[in-house]
Amino acid sequence: MTEPNIILTGFMATGKTTVGKLLAKHLGYSFVDTDQLIVERSGMPVAEIFEKKGEPAFRKMESDLAEELGSKEGLVVSTGGGMMLDPQNASALSRKGQIFCLVATPEEIFDRVSRDTHAKRPLLETADPMLQVTELLKQREKGYGQFSQMRTSAKTPDEITSNLIGIIRANPDLRLSITASDTHYDYIVGGGILPFVRQLAGINGPVAVITDKNVGTRYAESLGHTDAVITVDPGQQNKTLSTVESVCEELVRKGFDRSTTIIALGGSVISGLAGFVASVYMRGVDLVQCPTSLLAMADTSIGGKAGINLPQGKNLIGAFIQPKAVIADVATLRSLSPEEFSSGMAEVIKHGLIGGKELFERIKAGNWEWGKGSFQPSSFTGLQDLIAQAIQVKINIVQEDPFQKGKRALLNLGHTFAHAIEQASGHGLRHGEAVSMGLIASVNLSCRLGHCKEDLQQEVETVLTGSGLPVRIPARLDTKKIVQAIHRDKKRKGEQLRFILIRDIGDVFIGENVPKPEVTDTLEDIKEKS
């Protein structure tokens, strides 16, 4: 049985050696400190190597050691602060290991270094070591940011070790890094990882879970110890200011302060509602998204948008709040109904239309209708990879445009129509069902305006219906009401209607000032014939 290595990296004085020794003891692994091993083999301290042979010689020693250790197993490796900034070293050590980056504040690092009178730090031999610490951290921020982060400030070595052991035992199958604005967090996908949310997200302090009555009954206890579970009624009709007020009042009654972390446990409604609460409670507290529906996993839990509804339309009140982490336990998908699963597939297909032919062709070739053919709730072969591919499409766009000032608007493909259809139906349709209709409307409108070929609509319809989704607007819905709702859409500019249009798979764009008669004709064209 293999024993994958654990590699601890990060800036000096973040606790790599102390935590590494404790971790090795708990796991029964051998401990290796790369700096110490280099000292032993060279017969001189690191500072002397820098002085006599120069930094390039030391970095060569690190590279040779990375190749050597990367072929072994059962190790906890504590690396020098700059070792993993070399992509070749990171690649060598990650072949048989999982990398964690320990981080601390500049002030705490400086304090630890100042108290350690035995260690000589060549890189801090300057007139202003505190300034040097700050500058080096800034230079290395991007390099360290590629690894899973574990904050060590205000934690004991035992607490850090315990958190790492929890993460290792959870063994998530996939970890995607997201960098948006000045924030870095991980999107973690796995099966049976809900009990390890605290460790995976690095949560300290009190935890309040916000969930709905359906999801909370099934999964709230799986999170282990939490300080409160606040449940709300399910459904879009409850994603309102009054619900936000009642949740905030309960948080106050239970004594939650600014050190609180809110866990959003549920589907897309909870993702938006809990996110909004976290953005406004005490002027903002930490948020961890734990999506339990395919719709939330593939879309609403990513990107930091949180919103609530008004009678006039969806998400007309909102905020941006980046989570500490998104933790998706695919085991929760087993409890979805076929209709709920199909609803989520609408967002996956949307990402395929935006992201390019590879994902779209994968969806097209698969059997993703829940409960039909070979795809059953008990079989998740390929599903995690599909989710990961869809997630990556959104991550790439969100990282480029975290506050929706440009390219991120493309993620609204089909949604201007979908939100209006939802409202006209009195929210009697699932969001994904409305998105499916909205995607067809967008393709139809694009074709009507001369942007794409006519056969594209049939191709998209085939993929949507193959996932159990509707492609026609119900005959009972009033076209005039849908158009009125479109005019209230928050993405419009004054009286100009804006839609995300499509030229081909992977080629979508913002359509400005779309003629109103064409919109009406599109809605009538894709309506069920009574």
Side-chain angles (χ1 to χ4, degrees):
M1 196 170 188
T2 60
E3 295 180 319
N5 300 326
I6 306 299
I7 296 92
L8 303 181
T9 189
F11 198 70
M12 65 182 75
T14 53
K16 300 186 297 292
T17 299
T18 303
V19 171
K21 288 178 179 178
L22 288 171
L23 189 60
K25 183 178 179 181
H26 277 279
L27 297 175
Y29 281 17
S30 298
F31 174 71
V32 176
D33 183 314
T34 59
D35 279 354
Q36 187 58 41
L37 190 53
I38 288 172
V39 168
E40 291 172 5
R41 291 181 176 181
S42 66
M44 62 181 78
V46 172
E48 192 174 339
I49 297 172
F50 268 69
E51 183 181 342
K52 291 184 176 180
K53 296 188 175 184
E55 184 175 353
F58 178 75
R59 297 305 177 197
K60 176 66 165 59
M61 294 177 189
E62 286 187 322
S63 297
D64 292 342
L65 192 54
E67 284 294 331
E68 176 188 334
L69 298 176
S71 64
K72 298 183 178 182
E73 295 178 352
L75 302 177
V76 173
V77 180
S78 169
T79 73
M83 185 173 181
M84 300 298 280
L85 299 176
D86 184 330
Q88 290 186 335
N89 293 345
S91 176
L93 283 170
S94 63
R95 280 199 298 265
K96 293 186 177 181
Q98 188 173 0
I99 303 172
F100 296 94
C101 181
L102 305 189
V103 297
T105 64
E107 293 76 16
E108 190 152 1
I109 289 170
F110 180 70
D111 181 61
R112 291 173 185 173
V113 171
S114 300
R115 286 188 280 109
D116 186 0
T117 56
H118 300 291
K120 192 174 182 182
R121 313 278 184 175
L123 293 178
L124 298 186
E125 297 293 323
T126 65
D128 190 342
M130 178 60 189
L131 178 62
Q132 180 75 340
V133 168
T134 304
E135 287 297 320
L136 284 172
L137 282 172
K138 189 173 181 180
Q139 292 171 19
R140 297 180 179 185
E141 183 178 7
K142 186 175 181 181
Y144 288 149
Q146 65 186 303
F147 308 118
S148 300
Q149 307 278 301
M150 173 65 70
R151 186 163 295 280
T152 65
S153 298
K155 292 182 185 176
T156 67
D158 285 328
E159 288 172 334
I160 300 162
T161 303
S162 177
N163 286 344
L164 283 169
I165 289 171
I167 294 171
I168 294 161
R169 287 176 179 166
N171 192 28
D173 300 294
L174 178 72
R175 189 182 290 264
L176 299 169
S177 292
I178 303 174
T179 301
S181 187
D182 296 327
T183 304
H184 173 89
Y185 62 95
D186 286 339
Y187 192 121
I188 302 167
V189 182
I193 60 175
L194 276 183
F196 304 98
V197 165
R198 269 188 179 270
Q199 294 94 332
L200 290 168
I203 297 174
N204 297 305
V207 172
V209 179
I210 298 177
T211 187
D212 67 42
K213 292 178 179 177
N214 295 335
V215 174
T217 301
R218 289 192 183 106
Y219 300 119
E221 288 187 2
S222 300
L223 293 170
H225 171 72
T226 57
D227 298 281
V229 177
I230 300 173
T231 58
V232 300
D233 291 328
Q236 285 284 352
Q237 67 274 19
N238 297 301
K239 198 172 74 168
T240 62
L241 276 172
S242 61
T243 304
V244 170
E245 184 178 11
S246 65
V247 169
C248 288
E249 287 176 347
E250 189 163 353
L251 289 169
V252 172
R253 280 196 301 271
K254 294 181 182 296
F256 287 101
D257 57 21
R258 296 188 72 179
S259 67
T260 299
T261 296
I262 286 176
I263 293 179
L265 179 68
S268 58
V269 171
I270 289 298
S271 174
L273 175 68
F276 187 80
V277 170
S279 73
V280 297
Y281 186 70
M282 299 280 179
R283 295 195 179 94
V285 297
D286 283 341
L287 170 71
V288 173
Q289 291 280 5
C290 290
T292 60
S293 72
L294 181 57
L295 180 67
M297 288 182 189
D299 188 58
T300 50
S301 64
I302 314 167
K305 285 168 69 175
I308 54 175
N309 304 333
L310 289 175
Q312 293 85 355
K314 283 185 66 177
N315 299 323
L316 293 181
I317 301 176
F320 284 97
I321 175 171
Q322 301 297 342
K324 281 176 64 69
V326 181
I327 298 171
D329 190 335
V330 294
T332 61
L333 298 180
R334 297 178 190 275
S335 61
L336 296 183
S337 67
E339 294 79 13
E340 288 172 324
F341 184 84
S342 292
S343 185
M345 279 302 299
E347 293 290 353
V348 175
I349 293 166
K350 179 199 77 175
H351 288 167
L353 290 170
I354 296 169
K357 292 187 182 295
E358 184 182 348
L359 175 57
F360 190 77
E361 288 299 322
R362 182 172 189 170
I363 299 167
K364 193 175 177 181
N367 177 11
W368 306 108
E369 188 170 4
W370 194 259
K372 287 190 177 181
S374 61
F375 189 59
Q376 300 288 338
S378 59
S379 174
F380 280 82
T381 305
L383 179 58
Q384 282 184 218
D385 288 341
L386 185 76
I387 293 172
Q389 236 180 313
I391 290 167
Q392 195 64 61
V393 170
K394 183 161 185 176
I395 287 174
N396 292 343
I397 292 174
V398 166
Q399 289 188 145
E400 187 175 332
D401 181 19
F403 298 110
Q404 195 162 321
K405 294 182 178 179
K407 188 175 181 180
R408 184 165 174 170
L410 301 180
L411 292 168
N412 287 315
L413 178 66
H415 279 58
T416 298
F417 284 113
H419 289 162
I421 292 168
E422 280 182 280
Q423 188 175 345
S425 73
H427 297 290
L429 294 169
R430 287 180 172 82
H431 178 64
E433 294 171 339
V435 168
S436 180
M437 299 170 198
L439 291 174
I440 295 303
S442 296
V443 177
N444 184 287
L445 180 60
S446 299
C447 179
R448 192 175 295 277
L449 296 173
H451 297 303
C452 67
K453 296 178 180 178
E454 291 184 9
D455 59 1
L456 182 60
Q457 181 174 332
Q458 182 57 54
E459 184 179 5
V460 176
E461 285 185 6
T462 300
V463 174
L464 290 166
T465 55
S467 294
L469 287 159
V471 293
R472 292 290 178 267
I473 298 171
R476 70 179 186 277
L477 298 189
D478 187 340
T479 299
K480 288 183 179 179
K481 287 186 177 180
I482 298 175
V483 173
Q484 288 171 358
I486 287 172
H487 279 277
R488 291 192 292 269
D489 189 90
K490 63 182 181 296
K491 294 178 287 297
R492 75 183 190 283
K493 279 189 174 181
E495 291 301 311
Q496 293 185 12
L497 298 182
R498 302 172 78 215
F499 293 87
I500 307 304
L501 303 176
I502 183 167
R503 298 185 187 94
D504 199 357
I505 309 300
D507 185 5
V508 297
F509 65 100
I510 300 172
E512 303 274 4
N513 200 21
V514 175
K516 297 173 188 177
E518 304 289 357
V519 174
T520 301
D521 289 346
T522 282
L523 291 169
E524 287 293 335
D525 191 34
I526 68 165
K527 209 170 188 182
E528 289 177 343
K529 307 308 176 188
S530 54

